[in-house]
Amino acid sequence: MFSTGNSMAVGNDILDIGTQKYEQRQQQVSAGSGSMCPSAIQFGEPGAFDVPNVADPAAFCRANFASASGNKDANQAIKFAKGTTTLAFKFNGGIIVSVDSRSTMGAYIASGTVKKVIEINPFLLGTMAGGAADCSFWERNLGTQCRMYELRNKKRISVAAASKLLANTTNAYRGYGLSMGTMITGWDETGPQLYYVDNDGTRLKGNMFAVGSGSTYAYGILDTFYRKDLTIEEAIDLGKRAIYHATHRDAYSGGINNLYHVTKEGWTKIHAIDVNEMHYEFAEEKKNAMQST
Amino acid sequence: MASYLSAANAVQARNGQLALPIHTSEGGAMIPVSLGANNDCHADDIDHGVTRATYERGFSPYEFNGGTTLAISGPDYAVVAADTRLSSGYEILSRNVTKLHALTDKCVLGSAGCKTDVDQLRSVLDIKMKIYAHNHRKPMSTPSVAQMLGNTLYYKRFFPYYAFNVLAGVDSEGKGAVYSYDAIGSFERTPFSASGSGQSFLIPLMDNVIAHKNRLDEKRDLPSEEVVEIVKDAFVTAGERDIYTGDAVEIMVITKDGLTTETFKLKAD
């Protein structure tokens, strides 16, 4: 039976058990073609994301649906929730991951209690900076992929591979206005690892990263006081201070400092302290230091 | 006119001015024409300058239909409320359209934004929940609905649903659960949530009264009846300052025993 494109002749598909329609469907998988049934009502795996049916979907999405950081989405009709100062650094005792918890939509603080550290599995952590929905969706998707890897290969995935999976995803949607600045960190067979993955598809291995609108303030503190041989208490204190200073000066950061420590046994959450309380704690400290000199 | 040349030939001189006779369903007309002798000849002159006239162009798939929703969670209940006004620009299209939708008897979705996107989102969610109930032989629990709604919104990341949602319900332990969303599915479980045009008027009030911020008196657990009264006062306030909020507020209280609804009239101005 030869299929003649859109054969709408009456009676033509009475004998069809679905093959012809199936084949026609398979041909129409171009993104933005608009001719396919919206994937919103296909209940299996979403094969492709719906994109607007315009000549240049990437440019349209970038212009109208970007979850850009700072104020770049000020003229968009829909503003998305964005997150902002996260940092992580490696030292002799493992890795410290320290984040704030503020989420903003334009100039409105949508939430002061966002969880910006995503627990992918007991040995892998991902941080969230940039578009909140982008980060949480793709990192959850990464968790699924990591679990599939474990089931197929009977061993835990390495941090390098996990970060590569995420970088491949962001590369595929490059130019569409996704905003994600995330750090994938964990402890695998090769030791503690820290990778930075970006919405451009950038993937960098490193010892210390700070990401988000408050990152420059955090770098100031980190670069000044960081040493490889910090003790665990000193490292926790450094992570805490760096976030405090970033939230103090950056309007888009604030809320609660969530701090995690990654060791060979996996990650543990160390504390969740309101940065407002830290302000008074450090003020006290400064006063005492001034008085003793 | 088949070509510029034939059009040029059809132009006649009337009253010392070049004009083109046209025939429309309402009779004949003479349109003034300039044929490029002066410098005001443009590439789009074939349509007699219509495209250079200033009028509204461009199609936007989104429209804001107004409205406000509010949800508050308690130790064993959740209260969700939304006004019933549907607007478009400065017009009120209806005073009696609901923004609340019960997905299960333990879970209600309130959405403000663009009504057609909200309706489509609800249809999609209803279908997915029916499939889940068939596959798992039980209705979906509220935290699962929350995650599914987040994913459903994100699958339209590149052409979002213009819907600002709050999800309220009781979880499997019977505790109140409220989730707030942004347009593309970033969500979080919170003690309370408001969305829509009156969001900025309600949230500060909730921060003070429900979350007890900036207060010196002792915080106490509120019974659901008191929360319902607070919600009514909140909507009266929002209705005073927001043009898109008013007419009536529909309040639903969700407990592990089910759902109750109440409608409270607001000012219709």
Side-chain angles (χ1 to χ4, degrees):
Chain A
M1 163 177 312
F2 28 83
S3 59
T4 50
N6 287 335
S7 50
M8 285 287 136
V10 171
N12 212 29
D13 49 1
I14 291 178
L15 293 176
D16 191 312
I17 53 167
T19 325
Q20 188 181 2
K21 286 176 198 159
Y22 176 80
E23 275 163 29
Q24 278 174 4
R25 235 174 147 60
Q26 287 296 87
Q27 286 156 23
Q28 290 166 359
V29 204
S30 51
S33 67
S35 50
M36 204 173 148
C37 171
S39 52
I41 31 183
Q42 285 171 15
F43 301 106
E45 294 297 305
F49 276 74
D50 258 354
V51 290
N53 198 1
V54 293
D56 187 354
F60 187 88
C61 292
R62 227 171 23 247
N64 297 301
F65 305 132
S67 45
S69 52
N71 228 14
K72 294 197 198 90
D73 63 351
N75 57 341
Q76 260 172 220
I78 310 183
K79 297 193 215 304
F80 306 132
K82 301 193 289 271
T84 43
T85 310
T86 59
L87 61 89
F89 58 88
K90 265 202 267 191
F91 68 111
N92 286 345
I95 305 179
I96 294 288
V97 179
S98 182
V99 302
D100 77 318
S101 70
R102 177 170 290 184
S103 149
T104 50
M105 264 162 67
Y108 174 71
I109 296 175
S111 170
T113 53
V114 179
K115 301 282 178 298
K116 296 188 189 179
V117 175
I118 293 151
E119 298 156 4
I120 300 172
N121 66 41
F123 290 85
L124 265 185
L125 288 178
T127 61
M128 175 207 292
D134 293 331
C135 289
S136 54
F137 182 88
W138 290 115
E139 289 185 21
R140 190 160 184 266
N141 180 267
L142 177 63
T144 310
Q145 289 178 305
C146 291
R147 180 69 185 133
M148 292 304 286
Y149 179 97
E150 271 180 35
L151 290 169
R152 288 178 179 132
N153 299 284
K154 290 196 186 169
K155 65 190 203 70
R156 279 206 318 267
I157 192 172
S158 65
V159 184
S163 59
K164 190 75 168 199
L165 288 171
L166 187 63
N168 289 344
T169 306
T170 49
N171 211 23
Y173 291 101
R174 194 175 169 179
Y176 276 80
L178 288 186
S179 172
M180 292 170 64
T182 131
M183 293 179 286
I184 304 295
T185 173
W187 196 298
D188 59 24
E189 293 164 345
T190 55
Q193 302 291 354
L194 175 60
Y195 283 85
Y196 165 73
V197 177
D198 200 307
N199 54 275
D200 304 321
T202 305
R203 174 175 164 265
L204 300 170
K205 181 167 166 173
N207 291 329
M208 177 200 298
F209 290 109
V211 183
S213 56
S215 63
T216 47
Y217 307 107
Y219 273 129
I221 303 300
L222 283 176
D223 286 337
T224 310
F225 295 109
Y226 174 77
R227 288 181 341 262
K228 207 151 189 339
D229 60 354
L230 290 167
T231 66
I232 295 179
E233 287 75 29
E234 285 173 338
I236 290 172
D237 188 67
L238 179 60
K240 178 177 151 193
R241 263 170 219 272
I243 289 291
Y244 162 71
H245 285 281
T247 59
H248 188 60
R249 282 293 178 179
D250 178 32
Y252 294 94
S253 305
I256 295 170
N257 168 226
N258 290 308
L259 198 141
Y260 289 70
H261 180 212
V262 184
T263 58
K264 193 146 170 291
E265 283 75 47
W267 54 260
T268 35
K269 183 162 183 184
I270 303 293
H271 68 233
I273 304 179
D274 192 328
V275 299
N276 211 21
E277 284 172 26
M278 277 190 220
H279 176 78
Y280 294 107
E281 183 196 322
F282 294 149
E284 225 10 77
E285 203 183 274
K286 210 157 73 166
K287 198 172 74 166
N288 294 339
M290 305 254 276
Q291 278 172 354
S292 64
T293 50
Chain B
M1 291 292 144
S3 69
Y4 190 71
L5 191 61
S6 61
N9 288 340
V11 166
Q12 301 154 22
R14 294 283 164 92
N15 304 329
Q17 195 191 15
L18 293 174
L20 181 75
I22 61 161
H23 299 283
T24 71
S25 56
E26 281 153 9
M30 293 296 280
I31 296 184
V33 173
S34 65
L35 284 176
N38 317 328
N39 268 342
D40 55 355
C41 183
H42 300 266
D44 48 1
D45 250 355
I46 195 72
D47 57 358
H48 314 292
V50 169
T51 49
R52 271 181 285 119
T54 47
Y55 64 96
E56 178 98 13
R57 286 170 69 197
F59 167 70
S60 167
Y62 296 120
E63 188 188 36
F64 182 58
N65 293 123
T68 310
T69 60
L70 172 64
I72 300 170
S73 68
D76 59 351
Y77 63 84
V79 175
V80 62
D83 72 322
T84 58
R85 176 176 286 181
L86 183 76
S87 353
S88 171
Y90 284 119
E91 293 168 25
I92 295 177
L93 299 173
S94 170
R95 299 190 190 275
N96 193 18
V97 169
T98 177
K99 291 185 180 64
L100 299 177
H101 180 67
L103 292 169
T104 67
D105 60 353
K106 294 207 168 53
C107 177
V108 174
L109 174 67
S111 324
C114 173
K115 178 110 191 359
T116 85
D117 274 357
V118 165
D119 287 344
Q120 176 69 3
L121 177 63
R122 283 180 191 165
S123 303
V124 167
L125 287 177
D126 279 343
I127 294 172
K128 285 185 167 182
M129 293 187 65
K130 200 174 267 189
I131 291 178
Y132 182 98
H134 285 315
N135 285 335
H136 294 83
R137 294 190 204 172
K138 66 177 178 91
M140 252 178 128
S141 68
T142 305
S144 305
V145 177
Q147 182 69 63
M148 184 188 69
L149 174 55
N151 286 344
T152 307
L153 291 168
Y154 198 85
Y155 291 154
K156 291 264 290 165
R157 167 67 175 81
F158 299 120
F159 193 175
Y161 287 113
Y162 190 10
F164 296 100
N165 305 293
V166 303
L167 188 76
V170 287
D171 64 14
S172 27
E173 295 160 24
K175 285 204 285 236
V178 163
Y179 295 86
S180 46
Y181 291 81
D182 76 343
I184 46 174
S186 156
F187 72 98
E188 195 199 344
R189 184 168 176 172
T190 45
F192 59 84
S193 171
S195 73
S197 53
Q199 174 188 43
S200 336
F201 304 114
L202 294 178
I203 291 278
L205 183 62
M206 295 299 119
D207 277 336
N208 182 269
V209 171
I210 306 288
H212 234 76
K213 297 233 174 97
N214 300 314
R215 286 174 82 124
L216 298 172
D217 57 334
E218 214 185 287
K219 184 172 179 179
R220 59 185 174 90
D221 266 343
L222 299 166
S224 65
E225 294 78 19
E226 201 173 329
V227 171
V228 169
E229 292 305 307
I230 290 171
V231 166
K232 289 176 185 170
D233 285 340
F235 270 87
V236 168
T237 302
E240 287 295 324
R241 290 291 184 177
D242 178 29
I243 58 173
Y244 296 113
T245 303
D247 294 324
V249 51
E250 202 182 344
I251 306 176
M252 286 193 185
V253 182
I254 309 152
T255 58
K256 62 172 171 37
D257 304 316
L259 214 58
T260 55
T261 314
E262 181 187 339
T263 304
F264 177 67
K265 281 209 160 325
L266 297 174
K267 281 164 69 171
D269 64 351

